[in-house]
Amino acid sequence: MSSIEWNHETFSKFAYLGDPRIRGNLVAYTLTKANMKDNRYESTVVVEDLETGARRFIENASMPRISPDGRKLAFTRFNEEKKESEIWVADVQTLSAKKVLSAKNVRSIQWNDDSRRLLVVGFKRRDDEDFVFDDDVPAWFDNMGFFDGEKTTFWVLDTESEEVIERFEKPRFSSGIWHGDSILVNVPHREGSKPALFKFYDIYLWRDGEEEKLFERVSFMAVDSDGKAILLRGKREKKYLSEHEWLYIWDGELKPVYEGPLDVYDARLDDGRVYFLTPDAGRVNLWLWDGKAERIVAGDHCVYGFDVHGGRAVLLIATATRIAELYLYDGELKQITDYNGPIFERLKTFEPRHFRFRSIDLEIDGWYLKPELKEDEKAPVIVFVHGGPKGMYGHRFVYEMQLMANKGYYVVFVNPRGSNGYSEDFALRVLERTGLEDFQDIMNGIEEFFKLEPPADRERVGITGISYGGFMTNWALTQSDLFKAGISENGISYWLTNYAFSDIGLWYDVEVIGPNPLENDNYRKLSPLFYADRVKAPILLIHSLEDYRCPLDQSLMFYNVLRDMGKEAYIAIFKRGAHGHSIRGKPKHRAKRYRLFIEFFERKLKKYEEGFDVEEVMKGETKE
């Protein structure tokens, strides 16, 4: 019998790959494993020779960057004792390494074409031990904490002398890349006293203390350069943040590379050609523009990251039944790593079954996982709702979906209007109507699913989601009696307080819900909190204390009001972790969350138990 089974700790057996880089025959990437015993993640930089297949390892390292001449490898290492980042440079042949810089806050590093200088982008704050202070908005940001007067810092580090030879500062949310021996700097454009975050930028060319403004109030950013041309991702001008990103090249003249119909996730410039990723109806594919744009790596998969050099690309590719592994594309696709193959050989996984259905005025994509059933057996159903609303489900690995399918549940998920992977019009249809037609899309998808699967038990349907999916879970329990249990994670219950409290509320909520929040009826009409009296099903609200995207007040208010009305509601507040705590929380944190998730649906959709005794649920868990 296999010693591996699906449970709340199975995620810790997987190897997680990230940040792939290629230069010639050399590939580098980060390999991360969860250490359950010590409750931490351990990251290793792997350096692999594509010709020989030889692998070498640098422990306690991340952010690998191969120098343009292929002779050096820069990487970062976090010093736990000093609570600061260290930048190291290693000889590629020997991996003998030296520390070249210690800095408190490092966000990115990039080699100059001379293979000697590094552009180090980080940030500095006031760091008063007693209080934080700000005079700009937002005052905090998810996964970044309070800004406390933050400035983006730019350092040019000479790795031979190990000295910072140039430095300058820009406002928060700025970023930069090399452009020959100059630095391209993206700075959020300001309109009056408020920065036009995520929508408009000013782009500068900085060199030797002098700067030139190349673009003002544009909706694209400089994302890559070959020293001659600049690759820009975004649009010339956006009306909405939710619009798709496109691609342009600037070499003194602005030239379109790709202008839809799909969104662009990431892009690289290589020998005058552009490689980029697009979400496409539940898939993420690799495209190449060489005077004309075409898909070159397409399939039922999601590309999570890539790098390219000399016409060869390395990609991290995941499917609905497999964690991402590393692949090489050089005219054909070849798998390079198989870290998780032996684990998955011992685990049952379920391929999603695709269906399309008509909902109001649109064709919508849906999928479901069918569990193993005995003859004439009926099974409970869990509906998953993705984040966003401009998120996307489809052909990607979702741990909870495989976990619950293995425990005997149907798992149903759809891409309602507002989702990514379709036309821009499809994405924008949810604006100022969040919870209306998009909710009907989900409900219509469930009805179509029931037609396809008679063994699905209509009397045992649960719903769950995170962020927008958490909002939709809250909303669903106030709008329909179909659902017999719900798990809402980091969701929204009252749009007005989220607008005023969230790190992006001043920009995003006024687009998704509507302008003039203090006067707009949508902020009440589309808020689940004001329909709490309609809730009949038990709900478990899971939230992280350090979530600044959908802050804790959203779940706590809903919980308090539901309990005051005598409803069956429970709340689990994790003391650590940002908005993405479900996948980025510490290993024991994640295991406890998964256990809560499993047990709540087991007890409400299978055992029909009253109450939810958390001590009984967590029995066997060790204290952190």
Side-chain angles (χ1 to χ4, degrees):
M1 180 180 290
S2 171
S3 60
I4 302 176
E5 61 180 22
W6 285 102
N7 60 36
H8 62 292
E9 291 189 353
T10 309
F11 75 95
S12 66
K13 300 187 180 299
F14 301 134
Y16 301 91
L17 279 62
D19 209 358
R21 301 286 157 167
I22 183 171
R23 178 67 57 168
N25 287 321
L26 202 65
V27 171
Y29 52 90
T30 303
L31 173 67
T32 302
K33 288 283 293 183
N35 182 330
M36 291 299 297
K37 181 181 178 182
D38 296 333
N39 194 30
R40 61 190 177 92
Y41 295 101
E42 297 171 340
S43 291
T44 300
V45 165
V46 183
V47 182
E48 184 161 346
D49 189 313
L50 294 174
E51 222 171 71
T52 66
R55 288 178 183 165
R56 289 169 294 160
F57 307 92
I58 305 174
E59 293 186 338
N60 185 26
S62 58
M63 209 182 293
R65 300 291 183 266
I66 306 169
S67 63
D69 63 10
R71 297 171 61 186
K72 301 173 186 176
L73 178 75
F75 60 89
T76 61
R77 177 174 280 158
F78 188 71
N79 188 316
E80 284 286 353
E81 184 179 346
K82 296 182 179 179
K83 301 298 181 187
E84 63 182 18
S85 296
E86 299 172 349
I87 299 176
W88 291 67
V89 172
D91 179 272
V92 162
Q93 295 302 316
T94 66
L95 289 194
S96 172
K98 67 173 184 175
K99 182 172 66 176
V100 294
L101 182 72
S102 293
K104 189 170 184 181
N105 306 299
V106 173
R107 289 200 172 123
S108 69
I109 57 176
Q110 182 191 13
W111 284 106
N112 184 269
D113 289 338
D114 62 12
S115 296
R116 174 167 176 159
R117 290 173 294 166
L118 284 170
L119 174 62
V120 181
V121 182
F123 63 94
K124 74 171 188 177
R125 295 173 176 171
R126 292 178 57 255
D127 288 331
D128 187 288
E129 63 181 14
D130 293 315
F131 75 105
V132 297
F133 180 85
D134 228 313
D135 60 359
D136 206 353
V137 289
W140 61 11
F141 203 76
D142 192 61
N143 210 35
M144 295 164 65
F146 285 94
F147 281 121
D148 194 21
E150 177 179 309
K151 298 289 185 184
T152 303
T153 58
F154 297 82
W155 294 347
V156 176
L157 171 67
D158 176 50
T159 60
E160 295 296 312
S161 66
E162 302 171 27
E163 291 290 337
V164 174
I165 56 177
E166 299 178 67
R167 67 182 74 206
F168 61 96
E169 297 177 357
K170 288 294 180 184
R172 65 181 67 155
F173 291 107
S174 297
S175 62
I177 59 173
W178 284 111
H179 178 58
D181 286 328
S182 300
I183 299 170
L184 287 163
V185 184
N186 305 296
V187 180
H189 179 77
R190 297 194 72 90
E191 296 186 334
S193 62
K194 180 181 169 184
L197 293 182
F198 325 117
K199 191 171 182 181
F200 295 119
Y201 298 90
D202 300 328
I203 303 177
Y204 296 86
L205 191 64
W206 190 96
R207 184 171 182 174
D208 297 330
E210 302 290 332
E211 64 181 21
E212 173 190 358
K213 185 181 285 187
L214 298 182
F215 296 97
E216 182 174 11
R217 199 180 178 275
V218 290
S219 295
F220 46 62
M221 296 175 60
V223 295
D224 204 0
S225 164
D226 60 7
K228 298 175 184 177
I230 301 169
L231 182 61
L232 303 159
R233 181 168 64 90
K235 281 189 172 179
R236 300 168 195 253
E237 182 175 353
K238 280 187 175 183
K239 182 179 180 182
Y240 300 110
L241 297 174
S242 300
E243 291 177 33
H244 286 353
E245 304 276 31
W246 292 344
L247 290 171
Y248 302 86
I249 280 180
W250 186 82
D251 57 5
E253 179 184 352
L254 193 64
K255 303 170 185 176
V257 168
Y258 178 82
E259 293 184 317
L262 300 172
D263 199 2
V264 172
Y265 275 175
D266 195 7
R268 298 280 191 279
L269 188 59
D270 179 62
D271 294 333
R273 295 168 294 184
V274 179
Y275 293 76
F276 59 99
L277 301 179
T278 65
D280 187 354
R283 306 163 182 85
V284 179
N285 295 316
L286 179 68
W287 290 59
L288 168 64
W289 176 87
D290 190 5
K292 178 183 177 182
E294 61 179 344
R295 292 180 183 90
I296 56 172
V297 177
D300 291 343
H301 59 226
C302 286
V303 181
Y304 275 89
F306 81 103
D307 192 30
V308 61
H309 176 251
R312 299 201 299 173
V314 285
L315 309 95
L316 292 176
I317 299 180
T319 68
T321 59
R322 291 292 185 274
I323 297 282
E325 297 282 357
L326 190 69
Y327 289 74
L328 173 70
Y329 176 79
D330 58 1
E332 61 180 66
L333 193 64
K334 307 166 189 173
Q335 185 170 347
I336 302 299
T337 68
D338 189 26
Y339 287 100
N340 297 296
I343 306 299
F344 279 107
E345 285 176 4
R346 291 164 173 79
L347 289 171
K348 174 71 176 177
T349 55
F350 296 86
E351 286 282 353
R353 303 185 181 197
H354 177 253
F355 63 98
R356 280 181 68 81
F357 60 97
R358 186 76 179 174
S359 179
I360 312 173
D361 57 344
L362 295 174
E363 291 290 322
I364 303 292
D365 281 312
W367 296 264
Y368 65 92
L369 307 183
K370 182 175 183 175
E372 293 181 331
L373 299 173
K374 298 176 183 177
E375 191 175 352
D376 298 326
E377 180 184 8
K378 293 185 78 68
V381 179
I382 300 176
V383 178
F384 281 73
V385 184
H386 63 61
K390 203 181 178 183
M392 182 180 74
Y393 272 148
H395 301 277
R396 66 180 174 92
F397 185 85
V398 181
Y399 181 77
E400 295 92 331
M401 290 185 180
Q402 293 293 335
L403 177 67
M404 300 312 283
N406 271 274
K407 292 191 173 295
Y409 297 83
Y410 277 100
V411 171
V412 182
F413 46 104
V414 305
N415 282 339
R417 67 194 65 209
S419 301
N420 211 345
Y422 305 91
S423 70
E424 188 173 82
D425 174 70
F426 188 93
L428 298 180
R429 282 176 178 245
V430 75
L431 301 187
E432 299 187 45
R433 303 194 62 78
T434 304
L436 301 180
E437 290 86 359
D438 51 345
F439 176 61
Q440 286 305 311
D441 292 342
I442 294 168
M443 297 301 292
N444 290 337
I446 297 170
E447 291 303 320
E448 184 67 21
F449 157 75
F450 279 128
K451 295 176 187 175
L452 297 170
E453 289 294 326
D457 192 344
R458 177 183 283 273
E459 299 305 313
R460 293 186 293 162
V461 181
I463 186 169
T464 188
I466 299 174
S467 190
Y468 165 79
F471 156 76
M472 194 58 80
T473 299
N474 295 338
W475 185 252
L477 296 189
T478 69
Q479 304 297 311
S480 172
D481 294 339
L482 173 66
F483 305 104
K484 301 304 185 289
I487 299 179
S488 168
E489 299 198 55
N490 294 57
I492 292 167
S493 67
Y494 187 19
W495 285 107
L496 181 62
T497 58
N498 197 71
Y499 145 78
F501 208 14
S502 166
D503 58 353
I504 61 172
L506 301 182
W507 295 270
Y508 196 62
D509 291 19
V510 296
E511 179 172 300
V512 173
I513 302 304
N516 305 316
L518 299 181
E519 304 169 8
N520 192 326
D521 289 343
N522 268 2
Y523 284 80
R524 181 184 178 101
K525 185 175 73 173
L526 301 178
S527 293
L529 185 70
F530 295 96
Y531 307 93
D533 61 317
R534 300 181 184 178
V535 174
K536 296 179 181 177
I539 184 172
L540 170 62
L541 296 141
I542 299 176
H543 220 108
S544 52
L545 187 60
E546 297 173 324
D547 184 352
Y548 305 140
R549 181 63 39 84
C550 300
L552 176 62
D553 70 302
Q554 296 301 312
S555 286
L556 198 54
M557 284 191 299
F558 202 42
Y559 169 76
N560 284 338
V561 169
L562 288 169
R563 295 291 292 189
D564 191 47
M565 292 180 172
K567 308 291 184 178
E568 186 179 358
Y570 309 91
I571 190 166
I573 302 170
F574 283 88
K575 300 174 185 178
R576 297 288 182 198
H579 190 59
H581 78 112
S582 60
I583 55 175
R584 297 188 185 94
K586 286 190 173 183
K588 288 184 180 179
H589 171 144
R590 290 176 64 187
K592 291 173 182 177
R593 174 190 165 270
Y594 291 136
R595 185 185 281 271
L596 289 168
F597 189 95
I598 296 166
E599 291 296 327
F600 190 76
F601 280 132
E602 287 282 295
R603 292 166 191 247
K604 299 305 174 184
L605 297 181
K606 285 187 177 180
K607 299 178 181 178
Y608 311 109
E609 288 185 1
E610 292 185 7
F612 190 62
D613 185 340
V614 74
E615 295 299 327
E616 177 66 27
V617 166
M618 302 302 288
K619 190 177 290 184
E621 289 288 308
T622 56
K623 292 184 178 180
E624 293 188 40

